[in-house]
Amino acid sequence: MNRNERKKQSLDLARAMQKGLKPNELNRQLLQYVSTAPLYSDSNDFVNINQGYEINPDVYSIVNGITKAGASVPFIVSRVKNVKHLGEYYRKFKSLANNASQKNIGNYLDLKEEVFEEVDGNDDLYKLLENPNPIQSFSEWYENTKGFQLLTGNAYNYGVPLTDGRLGEMWIMPSQWTRIIADAGSQELIKGYTMELYGGVLNSIEAKQVMHWKYWNPDYGSPGSHLYGMSPLKAAAKSLTLSNNSDTSLIASINNGGANGMLFPDDDAFDTISPQLRSQIRSHLRKNSNPESNGSFLVFPTKMGYTQFGQSPHDLQIIEAGKMSLRDLCNIYGYPSEMLNDPDNKTNSNKKESRRQLYLDLVIPTLVRDYNELNKFVLPFFNNSTSNFKNYKYHISFDINAIEAIQVDNKDKVDWLSKAYWLTDNEKRAEMGYQEIEGGDVIYRPANLIPEAPLDLLPLDE
C-alpha cells in the first residue's frame, strides 16, 4: 500500500468516526487478504456466454425474450410536483416487484399522477436516457445491460461526468472482463472497478462512476467473491450441459448414424439374393429414401425380414432430454416455457394470456428492480449536482400503460363500468380515455337498492 492509499484509508476511517461508526470488523475479516489488486470470482462468465448465449438456442431465446420485452417499454422522466404522498408512491412502486396485479398497478398509476409531472424532451436527464451514449438508444442500452446481468449475474455501466457534475454518457462495460477493487478500510468498501482486457489491466474507475447491477451471491469461497453477482446459469450448469450434449448427440445421430437396419430374405424358397438383385434393391431404397416418396411401395420377389441397428433418437430419449433441459433453463429465469413452443407444459388457454402473465409475473417486477438501481445511480448526479438543476427532484420510471399485453379489453372494461354504479359518468369516461362532460359528476344508483337500517326505524304498512 503506497502513501496516497494509506492517506485515503485514514480519511475514510476519520469520516466513519465522525458519524459515530466504529471500524467494520466483518469487512476486515472478509477482505483481510485483499490488497488493491482486482478481486476474482468463481463464476465462469466466459462459459456462460460462449457455451450459453452464443451456441445454445434455449438460452439465447430466454435471454432475448426477457431483454426485448423490457426494452420495448418506454422510459419516463418525471419531476416531483407534490411531496405529500412521495413516500407512499415509492412504496407502491417498489411493491410491484413482488405483486404486479392489475389492482396494484391501478393504485400505483393514480398516485403517480398526483405526485409527479413528466418532463419534456428538452430536459437534459431525458436526453441522457434517450441516448445513453452516441451509438446506442435507451432500448438497445437496456437490452445489452440486462443481457450481461442475465448471463453473468453482473452488469456494469461507466458514467462519464460533465464539468458541472452531472452525467453526460453511460457506456456498458463487458462484465466477463470487469473486476472489482475492494478496500476493507474504505467506508464504501468497493474502491473502484477495472478491466482485464487485451492481456493487461486497465486503469481503475472510481466506484461512484460505475453502475453495478447484480444478483445476490451466497458464495464467500474466496475473499470478496460475494461482491460479485451470481449467474443464474451457475445453478443450471448441468441443464446447460445436457442441452448442448443433446443437440450434439442428435446431430451426430443424423450425420453419422450409418445404416438403420438390414433387409434379408425370410422365405424358405430363397436361400440368398443374387448380387444383381441386391444391388437393385439397395439402389431403389437409396433413391426413394426421401420425403417425396412417403407413402410409396417397394415390391420384392420374396418375403423380406428386417433387423434394426441401434436405437433412434426418440428411443434414446434425446429429444425428451432436450425438453427437460429447456424447462430447467426457463425455470431458473422465471420464463414460461410455453412461450418457447413447449406444448407439453402449456398452462394458459392462448398466447395472448401467456404474454399477459409474462409481463405481470416477470417483466414488470424485473423493470421495477432495474429502475430502482437506475434511479439510485443516476439521480444523485442530477438532484445533487452543482448545476442549475440541483433543485429538481427527478424520478425515472417506465410507462406501464404502454404495455399492450396487460391492458384490459375495452369490451370487458365497458361491461365492468356499466355495473360500477358508484362511479360518476365523468369517472367512467376518464377510465375509457374520454374528456369530461358537463353534468357528468352525478352518481346514479339502482332504484332497487334498499338502505340498511334497524327494524324499528323501517316504515310500517298501514
Side-chain angles (χ1 to χ4, degrees), residues 207-244:
K208 70 176 183 179
Q209 298 296 143
V210 176
M211 181 175 68
H212 183 187
W213 292 3
K214 63 178 181 178
Y215 293 125
W216 174 58
N217 185 3
D219 178 21
Y220 285 72
S222 58
S225 59
H226 63 286
L227 299 177
Y228 292 96
M230 187 185 103
S231 169
L233 290 176
K234 184 175 182 180
K238 292 182 180 179
S239 297
L240 178 61
T241 301
L242 175 62
S243 178
N244 288 339

Side-chain angles (χ1 to χ4, degrees), residues 1-13:
M1 183 181 295
N2 59 38
R3 181 179 178 182
N4 290 334
E5 289 170 343
R6 285 195 300 271
K7 182 179 179 181
K8 183 180 183 305
Q9 190 177 69
S10 299
L11 288 174
D12 288 335
L13 183 59

Side-chain angles (χ1 to χ4, degrees), residues 60-353:
Y60 178 91
S61 299
I62 293 169
V63 171
N64 272 3
I66 296 173
T67 58
K68 289 183 182 299
S72 68
V73 183
F75 70 87
I76 296 176
V77 178
S78 304
R79 193 179 295 122
V80 176
K81 66 177 181 179
N82 181 3
V83 298
K84 183 178 180 180
H85 299 292
L86 187 59
E88 184 182 358
Y89 165 81
Y90 286 131
R91 288 192 296 272
K92 287 190 179 296
F93 178 66
K94 293 177 181 179
S95 70
L96 294 179
N98 300 315
N99 185 11
S101 65
Q102 207 76 45
K103 179 181 178 181
N104 283 357
I105 290 174
N107 293 336
Y108 154 75
L109 290 175
D110 290 341
L111 198 57
K112 180 181 178 182
E113 187 175 348
E114 181 180 344
V115 174
F116 292 99
E117 61 181 358
E118 289 187 39
V119 304
D120 59 36
N122 293 319
D123 184 272
D124 282 2
L125 177 54
Y126 183 94
K127 290 180 178 179
L128 170 66
L129 295 178
E130 188 176 35
N131 292 103
N133 56 66
I135 64 173
Q136 287 184 313
S137 64
F138 179 83
S139 59
E140 184 181 354
W141 173 87
Y142 176 84
E143 196 175 324
N144 295 172
T145 300
K146 191 64 185 177
F148 272 118
Q149 186 187 16
L150 290 169
L151 290 171
T152 67
N154 300 277
Y156 307 90
N157 264 269
Y158 168 51
V160 183
L162 297 172
T163 55
D164 62 6
R166 293 174 296 152
L167 287 183
E169 296 175 352
M170 291 190 296
W171 288 87
I172 297 171
M173 302 166 64
S175 61
Q176 69 271 38
W177 295 104
T178 303
R179 301 287 178 262
I180 295 174
I181 300 175
D183 183 359
S186 171
Q187 185 178 348
E188 292 80 12
L189 187 59
I190 295 179
K191 183 179 179 180
Y193 297 84
T194 187
M195 287 190 294
E196 294 188 337
L197 199 59
Y198 311 130
V201 179
L202 304 184
N203 293 334
S204 64
I205 301 172
E206 194 176 358
K208 70 176 183 179
Q209 298 296 143
V210 176
M211 181 175 68
H212 183 187
W213 292 3
K214 63 178 181 178
Y215 293 125
W216 174 58
N217 185 3
D219 178 21
Y220 285 72
S222 58
S225 59
H226 63 286
L227 299 177
Y228 292 96
M230 187 185 103
S231 169
L233 290 176
K234 184 175 182 180
K238 292 182 180 179
S239 297
L240 178 61
T241 301
L242 175 62
S243 178
N244 288 339
N245 288 346
S246 295
D247 289 344
T248 301
S249 298
L250 189 59
I251 294 172
S253 176
I254 294 172
N255 290 339
N256 306 312
N260 292 328
M262 177 181 67
L263 281 173
F264 59 90
D266 192 16
D267 191 333
D268 295 338
F270 287 83
D271 292 332
T272 185
I273 299 178
S274 66
Q276 182 180 4
L277 181 57
R278 185 163 56 247
S279 176
Q280 291 175 353
I281 292 174
R282 184 184 297 112
S283 176
H284 192 64
L285 288 173
R286 186 180 295 112
K287 179 180 178 182
N288 291 277
S289 296
N290 55 68
E292 288 77 12
S293 300
N294 186 34
S296 62
F297 298 93
L298 298 178
V299 179
F300 296 97
T302 181
K303 179 182 176 183
M304 303 294 291
Y306 177 75
T307 298
Q308 180 177 330
F309 292 159
Q311 292 178 302
S312 69
H314 285 280
D315 295 330
L316 293 172
Q317 298 184 333
I318 294 175
I319 295 177
E320 198 62 32
K323 288 182 182 179
M324 294 305 298
S325 61
L326 164 65
R327 291 167 192 164
D328 287 341
L329 291 169
C330 285
N331 284 338
I332 66 160
Y333 284 111
Y335 195 85
S337 63
E338 62 186 286
M339 295 294 294
L340 298 181
N341 302 314
D342 181 9
D344 300 332
N345 202 30
K346 190 175 179 64
T347 57
N348 293 306
S349 58
N350 53 60
K351 192 171 184 179
K352 183 178 180 181
E353 182 62 24

